Amino acid sequence: MAAITLHNVVKQFGTQIVIRDVSLDLHAGQITGLVGDNGAGKTTLLKLISGDLQPDLGNVVRERGLEIGVLRQEPDISLERTLHDEVGSVFTDLLALEHKLHAVADEMAALHDDPRLPELMETYHRLEARFVAAGGHTFETRIHEILGGLGFSPADYTKQVAIFSGGQKCRVALAKLLLRNRTYLLLDEPTNHLDIDATRWLEKFLAGHKGGAVIISHDRYLLDRLCERIIEVNRTQATSYSGNYTRYAETRDVQMLTEQREFVKDAEFIRKERAFIAKHLAGQRSQEAKGRRTRLERRLKAGEFTTATRAESRTARIGFQETRAQTGVILRAETLAMAYGAHRLFQDLSFHIHGGTRFGITGPNGCGKTTLLKIILGEIAPTAGSVTLDRKLQVGYYGQEHVAFDPERSVVDEVRETCGVFSEAEARSLLARFLFTGDDVFKPLGKLSGGEMSRVRLIKLILTSPDMLVLDEPTNHLDIRSREALEGALREFPGTIVVVSHDRYFLDGLVDRLLVMRPDGYAVYEGNYTFYVQSVETQRRPAEPVVRAKPKRLKSAGPKPSSKSRFDRLSVDELEALVVRHETALAALQERFGDPGVYKDPNLLEELQEETDALERELAEVDAAWQGRVDAS
């Protein structure tokens, strides 16, 4: 039985029909991706599913008792509370229960031998059982894990939500939704405002969610990893495809090719029929012409012909000029460091790039990716180290900063101005490659959306035919089809590409080397994003014992070990080996906290926390014994 069913749903705003005759079954336990062009009606469909909107015709049926959690594009949060208090408000009932527990405990302490004490004790135990069953001993751990996974630090917990950026507020709303633990999730662009680490954490969390979900996202890598079904919203219709995003894209491309062929064939048939009708309507064959006109109109009205197509001008090539010969190393970075005062972005960063390489750069927010690009371009100087770039090469740069345009100039004129040899027809053919079709090419630049303006900037950059492209988050603001168009153009580019991106699908399909920057260091991988992930996962598998140079001194929240320890009889080498084993075991336990399934079982989470606390205390004792032995020698 479906968790949610839509039957012949229609929704329109004014005279515009956005959703027409849509019927869908959404099943519990299944994650569904919702894709389509910007403005196609994805968010409208999600609101119909959630009940935020009511259909004009048709109906939406939800399973009785189904708990639905919705992540909307506009966060529904209180700005007056601190971060911790705002996400903690999810547990209002639990906190009230905890308050009752404390009140009963205080009353019991004041009564001593009063006859009412047994009754109060029974009340306390009953409240405590409810508190534990509801996750009373684990909800703080859940808060910390989810906030940490979404990129918040403990220093953020006491900050007022009002001071956070728009992206951070969206993450607060997402944290509250995940903490509510709803059965069925409806998520509208959940990875917006998440860096690559937080996106990977969310992906893992959702993979462990058993209740089912519908996700609107431009993150094709996430749709590939999570979804068992893709629903495409296009021209007021919703079409369902089994499988993940890649399977959907393959099926869609075959359908579009077939659709285009049918469109050409049907258009030629209609042209010939109309030509015959016009020629013979008043002549000797007028009866035949009238009959053919009647049949043609009936077939057109019945929708027997393909009169529209989704296919764009995918064959239009960019026409790149030959770039300068690029052999050997064209860029070399040596022991780069960058800091602003006491804040260090990176240090000892070294890499090189050969001509013709597609070099990707990724990592969490704040690790200095954009700063590195500006150092490469010579716009800012590093704190230490140097960059050597072949200055004979013409470099084209696409940054995240706002670029000024003449708001009255049309899209097609802006493109022709960049490359003066283009006729209007040639410019329109190229613009169709970047999804500007029909009257869209005549839109004034001042009327374009953020995504449309990004496409214009990318077209202009590519038309300058640089030897090397330096791109900073070029897929931001682009929907999926726009990203695909950009990828197709960049694959044709004959020169060198250096690109910063958090779009994992984009990195997978384009780059052949990847620099991963992290707060604690960096690494260069000779492959794409999937190669990097596979390399990391291989490194995390159990291997030979780690050679330990010197154990870290740990801060323990538990009591300090006594002067006589049960580990005093062990040698320095035995203590060192024991510290290594304990740290390895502790890392394995902490890894389990990232498993969303743990939070479904309060008893399991409590046991895991107790085991972790005990191991941390024992590790602190062993480490203290080791340090004492080293200090004495």
Side-chain angles (χ1 to χ4, degrees):
M1 179 180 174
I4 303 172
T5 299
L6 286 77
H7 182 65
N8 294 337
V9 167
V10 176
K11 186 65 186 178
Q12 68 182 73
F13 298 99
T15 59
Q16 182 183 8
I17 297 177
V18 180
I19 300 294
R20 184 198 302 271
D21 296 329
V22 167
S23 296
L24 292 170
D25 286 334
L26 302 172
H27 296 279
Q30 184 180 66
I31 296 182
T32 299
L34 196 57
V35 302
D37 294 348
N38 288 343
K42 302 186 298 294
T43 296
T44 298
L45 182 56
L46 201 73
K47 288 181 177 179
L48 288 165
I49 294 170
S50 70
D52 287 351
L53 285 176
Q54 297 303 314
D56 296 315
L57 292 173
N59 56 74
V60 180
V61 180
R62 300 167 193 86
E63 187 180 61
R64 186 184 299 275
L66 183 67
E67 294 180 319
I68 298 177
V70 184
L71 179 70
R72 300 173 177 86
Q73 290 187 356
E74 294 298 325
D76 181 17
I77 54 177
S78 170
L79 303 181
E80 288 73 30
R81 296 189 182 110
T82 65
L83 171 62
H84 182 275
D85 288 349
E86 174 58 15
V87 297
S89 66
V90 169
F91 302 106
T92 300
D93 294 341
L94 200 56
L95 292 169
L97 192 57
E98 185 179 39
H99 181 73
K100 287 182 181 178
L101 266 174
H102 290 315
V104 173
D106 291 343
E107 192 174 354
M108 287 165 56
L111 290 177
H112 298 295
D113 297 327
D114 192 283
R116 291 176 294 164
L117 189 58
E119 182 182 348
L120 284 172
M121 290 179 65
E122 183 179 345
T123 301
Y124 182 88
H125 290 313
R126 187 169 60 252
L127 289 172
E128 185 180 38
R130 285 173 54 196
F131 184 71
V132 171
H137 292 316
T138 61
F139 74 92
E140 278 292 345
T141 301
R142 290 180 61 198
I143 288 174
H144 294 172
E145 288 295 327
I146 287 177
L147 287 178
L150 294 177
F152 290 105
S153 70
D156 295 323
Y157 292 2
T158 56
K159 294 178 181 176
Q160 193 175 13
V161 174
I163 71 170
F164 288 145
S165 67
Q168 287 173 313
K169 289 170 184 171
C170 290
R171 283 190 277 142
V172 174
L174 178 57
K176 289 182 65 177
L177 174 65
L178 298 181
L179 284 166
R180 285 193 175 98
N181 200 25
R182 298 299 192 216
T183 305
Y184 202 91
L185 300 177
L186 302 175
L187 309 177
D188 196 349
E189 295 291 357
T191 60
N192 277 5
H193 315 296
L194 300 186
D195 65 18
I196 200 162
D197 280 359
T199 298
R200 289 182 64 191
W201 179 88
L202 178 62
E203 183 182 291
K204 185 175 181 180
F205 186 99
L206 293 175
H209 180 69
K210 305 302 182 185
V214 175
I215 304 173
I216 295 177
S217 181
H218 293 152
D219 189 332
R220 294 160 292 170
Y221 199 90
L222 180 137
L223 296 176
D224 248 10
R225 303 260 290 188
L226 291 179
C227 293
E228 307 163 61
R229 178 188 185 191
I230 300 293
I231 295 173
E232 180 193 56
V233 182
N234 181 59
R235 297 202 298 260
T236 75
Q237 300 294 304
T239 307
S240 181
Y241 298 80
S242 62
N244 63 5
Y245 178 82
T246 295
R247 184 173 175 184
Y248 146 75
E250 292 168 351
T251 304
R252 176 206 60 190
D253 288 347
V254 171
Q255 289 180 346
M256 288 175 67
L257 182 60
T258 302
E259 189 180 80
Q260 181 68 13
R261 288 171 177 165
E262 290 295 320
F263 173 76
V264 172
K265 184 183 73 173
D266 289 352
E268 180 62 14
F269 175 82
I270 293 169
R271 184 191 67 78
K272 287 180 178 180
E273 285 294 285
R274 284 174 171 164
F276 178 90
I277 293 165
K279 181 177 180 181
H280 298 290
L281 193 60
Q284 293 181 348
R285 303 176 67 180
S286 63
Q287 286 301 112
E288 182 183 355
K290 289 177 182 178
R292 288 170 73 161
R293 181 178 64 181
T294 300
R295 288 192 296 273
L296 178 62
E297 289 175 351
R298 184 170 60 244
R299 294 181 67 186
L300 284 168
K301 188 175 181 180
E304 293 183 21
F305 298 111
T306 303
T307 56
T309 174
R310 292 175 293 172
E312 281 78 38
S313 181
R314 293 174 180 266
T315 57
R317 298 187 63 82
I318 305 302
F320 290 110
Q321 298 177 8
E322 288 298 319
T323 61
R324 297 175 189 269
Q326 300 178 37
T327 58
V329 175
I330 62 169
L331 187 152
R332 187 182 300 277
E334 296 181 333
T335 60
L336 285 179
M338 191 65 198
Y340 294 98
H343 179 57
R344 175 178 59 82
L345 290 177
F346 51 80
Q347 64 181 7
D348 296 328
L349 177 58
S350 298
F351 60 90
H352 63 272
I353 299 175
H354 285 85
T357 299
R358 271 83 165 120
F359 189 82
I361 303 172
T362 195
N365 291 341
C367 63
K369 302 184 296 296
T370 295
T371 300
L372 175 60
L373 290 189
K374 292 184 176 181
I375 291 173
I376 290 172
L377 294 168
E379 293 184 6
I380 59 176
T383 306
S386 63
V387 170
T388 304
L389 174 65
D390 184 348
R391 297 299 174 185
K392 297 190 298 293
L393 298 176
Q394 180 181 345
V395 178
Y397 175 56
Y398 177 92
Q400 298 187 49
E401 297 85 0
H402 176 74
V403 177
F405 286 98
D406 180 351
E408 302 301 323
R409 180 178 285 172
S410 70
V411 173
V412 67
D413 287 343
E414 183 69 21
V415 170
R416 292 186 67 192
E417 186 273 338
T418 304
C419 189
V421 298
F422 271 19
S423 66
E424 181 177 303
E426 289 171 326
R428 293 188 67 167
S429 178
L430 175 60
L431 284 165
R433 176 71 181 271
F434 281 84
L435 313 183
F436 288 103
T437 57
D439 291 339
D440 288 345
V441 302
F442 301 114
K443 288 174 73 171
L445 297 175
K447 300 292 185 180
L448 298 185
S449 67
E452 289 171 327
M453 184 59 76
S454 295
R455 280 186 271 146
V456 171
R457 289 177 58 203
L458 288 163
I459 294 170
K460 286 172 60 67
L461 177 63
I462 289 170
L463 286 177
T464 62
S465 295
D467 305 307
M468 177 177 175
L469 286 171
V470 178
L471 311 173
D472 192 0
E473 299 287 7
T475 62
N476 278 6
H477 312 299
L478 299 184
D479 61 20
I480 288 178
R481 285 204 305 155
S482 301
R483 295 180 189 206
E484 291 174 341
L486 174 62
E487 289 160 3
L490 293 179
R491 278 194 288 269
E492 294 176 17
F493 179 67
T496 304
I497 297 174
V498 178
V499 55
V500 166
S501 182
H502 64 270
D503 185 332
R504 300 169 294 171
Y505 201 93
F506 174 83
L507 292 172
D508 242 21
L510 183 68
V511 309
D512 44 44
R513 294 184 76 214
L514 185 65
L515 167 63
V516 180
M517 300 176 65
R518 309 197 65 80
D520 56 352
Y522 74 95
V524 177
Y525 295 86
E526 302 298 324
N528 60 8
Y529 182 83
T530 292
F531 177 82
Y532 150 65
V533 171
Q534 291 171 345
S535 300
V536 171
E537 289 175 350
T538 299
Q539 291 169 2
R540 286 178 177 172
R541 291 171 189 155
E544 296 78 17
V546 178
V547 178
R548 181 182 174 84
K550 183 178 180 181
K552 299 175 184 176
R553 300 206 58 174
L554 301 178
K555 295 181 181 179
S556 173
K560 295 182 179 179
S562 60
S563 57
K564 286 191 175 184
S565 169
R566 54 189 166 134
F567 300 109
D568 286 346
R569 59 184 176 80
L570 300 180
S571 67
V572 172
D573 289 342
E574 289 172 327
L575 287 168
E576 188 168 309
L578 188 57
V579 170
V580 171
R581 289 199 297 273
H582 276 43
E583 285 190 340
T584 302
L586 185 60
L589 288 175
Q590 290 170 339
E591 181 73 17
R592 290 177 60 194
F593 277 110
D595 181 1
V598 171
Y599 296 119
K600 306 296 188 296
D601 187 342
N603 293 330
L604 180 59
L605 184 58
E606 187 173 1
E607 289 172 7
L608 181 59
Q609 186 64 59
E610 289 175 355
E611 189 177 354
T612 302
D613 292 343
L615 189 58
E616 284 180 339
R617 287 193 296 270
E618 188 166 303
L619 177 56
E621 190 176 349
V622 175
D623 192 55
W626 176 86
Q627 188 65 45
R629 193 68 62 83
V630 170
D631 292 343
S633 61

